[in-house]
């Protein structure tokens, strides 16, 4: 079973890392406008891997076998995830439907 053929519109975290290194971007999509609670902002964001030509979009999933979208509920969690991928400048959309695109720096 070839998961990339069976589920071409999703990507695992490892797959996302590989594709980012090959020039793809990681788009952060705000699904629920965040609200501030004390010092924390909580909302819902998903990450999509986008090909350099913009033709292919893959949703980041928690595990390839259950295909559940990986959702980030806090800005801290999302920014930590992006930094762990090697993104040096993090932009987070703060309104439902807005998108912020991220790529890896050449300097790393």
């Amino acid at each position: 079973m070839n998961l990339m053929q069976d589920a071409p519109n999703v990507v695992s975290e490892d797959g996302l890392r590989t594709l980012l290194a090959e020039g793809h971007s990681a788009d952060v999509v705000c699904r629920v406008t965040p609200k501030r609670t004390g010092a924390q902002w909580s909302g819902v964001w998903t990450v999509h891997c986008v090909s350099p030509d913009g033709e292919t979009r893959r949703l980041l999933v928690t595990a390839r076998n259950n295909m559940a979208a990986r959702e980030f509920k806090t800005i801290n969690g999302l920014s930590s995830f992006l930094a762990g991928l090697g993104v040096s400048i993090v932009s987070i959309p703060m309104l439902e439907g807005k998108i912020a695109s991220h790529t890896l720096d050449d300097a790393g």
Side-chain angles (χ1 to χ4, degrees):
M1 179 170 155
N2 184 335
L3 291 174
M4 283 307 290
Q5 287 179 343
D6 294 341
N9 297 325
V10 298
V11 65
S12 66
E13 183 176 333
D14 287 340
L16 177 60
R17 287 179 191 283
T18 299
L19 291 170
L20 285 174
E22 294 174 0
H24 289 65
S25 63
D27 281 4
V28 173
V29 179
C30 181
R31 297 291 181 192
V32 175
T33 298
K35 301 212 180 321
R36 187 173 179 170
T37 309
Q40 183 69 271
W41 285 89
S42 300
V44 177
W45 295 269
T46 56
V47 175
H48 300 254
C49 182
V50 181
S51 63
D53 63 8
E55 293 293 317
T56 305
R57 292 182 63 82
R58 294 184 176 116
L59 175 65
L60 177 66
V61 293
T62 55
R64 299 281 310 201
N65 58 353
N66 69 9
M67 304 298 174
R70 180 156 181 196
E71 294 182 336
F72 296 87
K73 305 287 177 109
T74 66
I75 286 179
N76 188 40
L78 177 58
S79 60
S80 294
F81 174 77
L82 292 170
L85 291 175
V87 173
S88 62
I89 298 174
V90 174
S91 179
I92 299 174
M94 298 293 285
L95 291 173
E96 182 177 336
K98 296 292 184 179
I99 300 171
S101 188
H102 302 83
T103 57
L104 298 182
D105 294 339
D106 290 335

